Amino acid sequence: MAGTYKTAGRRRLLNFLESHPDRQFLVDELSEELNRQTEEGSGKGSKSSLYRHLSELCDEGTVRKYRSDTQSAYVYQYVGRGDCCHHFHLKCVSCGTLIHLECAVSQELLTHIQSDHHFRVDSGRSILYGMCETCAASEETEKQGGCECVCCHHNEKRNM
């Protein structure tokens, strides 16, 4: 992309996001993590640089920006250079994992909605909320009284 600088800060941001493709991050979380990674060295980036890099990556289609479910802020997620605009997304309400639903059934649903209901869905922005397999299994185990989960969600319940 013309006019885009390939700085060390941008590379650190992209590498971090690429290594966590199923997670979404607030700007503060990204800033904290990237600054933690560079604590021993120099080159801590400013938040304004972070916002600029995120904006560029969103414009390129490498990163998606979503409104946070729990805060009045945006979260960012690595989506790679693939086509994220032509499928639905599944988001776990327990752990926050975002799954790209790239299967024929989702395409059939999109076609059905458009042809039978005369409505064109912006599937790149369509998120179905529920529970991922891991969290659903943990919830079922917890209901049965034997949760061995170490995630913060269940620990909070135990510590109450």
Side-chain angles (χ1 to χ4, degrees):
M1 179 177 190
T4 299
Y5 296 101
K6 308 294 186 207
T7 64
R10 178 186 162 100
R11 281 191 302 276
R12 273 194 306 274
L13 171 62
L14 191 54
N15 288 340
F16 177 76
L17 290 170
E18 284 176 332
S19 66
H20 300 90
D22 61 340
R23 294 219 22 235
Q24 298 172 340
F25 297 94
L26 294 163
V27 168
D28 288 341
E29 293 171 324
L30 289 169
S31 179
E32 186 177 306
E33 178 61 31
L34 295 173
N35 285 332
R36 186 188 63 75
Q37 287 180 6
T38 58
E39 254 175 21
E40 295 176 7
S42 60
K44 285 188 179 180
S46 68
K47 260 196 188 165
S48 61
S49 293
L50 179 57
Y51 275 107
R52 186 180 67 251
H53 296 318
L54 286 168
S55 178
E56 292 168 353
L57 292 168
C58 286
D59 289 346
E60 294 169 9
T62 305
V63 170
R64 291 292 304 259
K65 178 179 174 180
Y66 301 94
R67 171 134 340 251
S68 171
D69 297 332
T70 59
Q71 301 181 22
S72 60
Y74 288 99
V75 291
Y76 298 86
Q77 181 175 11
Y78 178 79
V79 294
R81 300 200 186 277
D83 185 10
C84 195
C85 296
H86 298 289
H87 58 262
F88 290 111
H89 300 87
L90 308 175
K91 183 162 185 181
C92 180
V93 296
S94 185
C95 70
T97 296
L98 188 77
I99 300 166
H100 299 267
L101 186 61
E102 300 177 88
C103 69
V105 175
S106 67
Q107 281 302 308
E108 288 174 25
L109 179 58
L110 286 170
T111 302
H112 167 78
I113 292 170
Q114 186 165 358
S115 64
D116 291 12
H117 301 280
H118 311 290
F119 188 84
R120 187 170 46 181
V121 174
D122 181 354
S123 57
R125 296 179 64 182
S126 297
I127 301 174
L128 303 173
Y129 294 89
M131 291 185 97
C132 70
E133 182 177 29
T134 302
C135 291
S138 293
E139 184 180 76
E140 189 59 35
T141 302
E142 185 177 333
K143 283 180 185 177
Q144 295 172 3
C147 182
E148 299 297 325
C149 178
V150 294
C151 72
C152 61
H153 173 73
H154 295 112
N155 286 334
E156 287 173 8
K157 286 182 181 177
R158 276 192 221 135
N159 295 329
M160 293 181 138

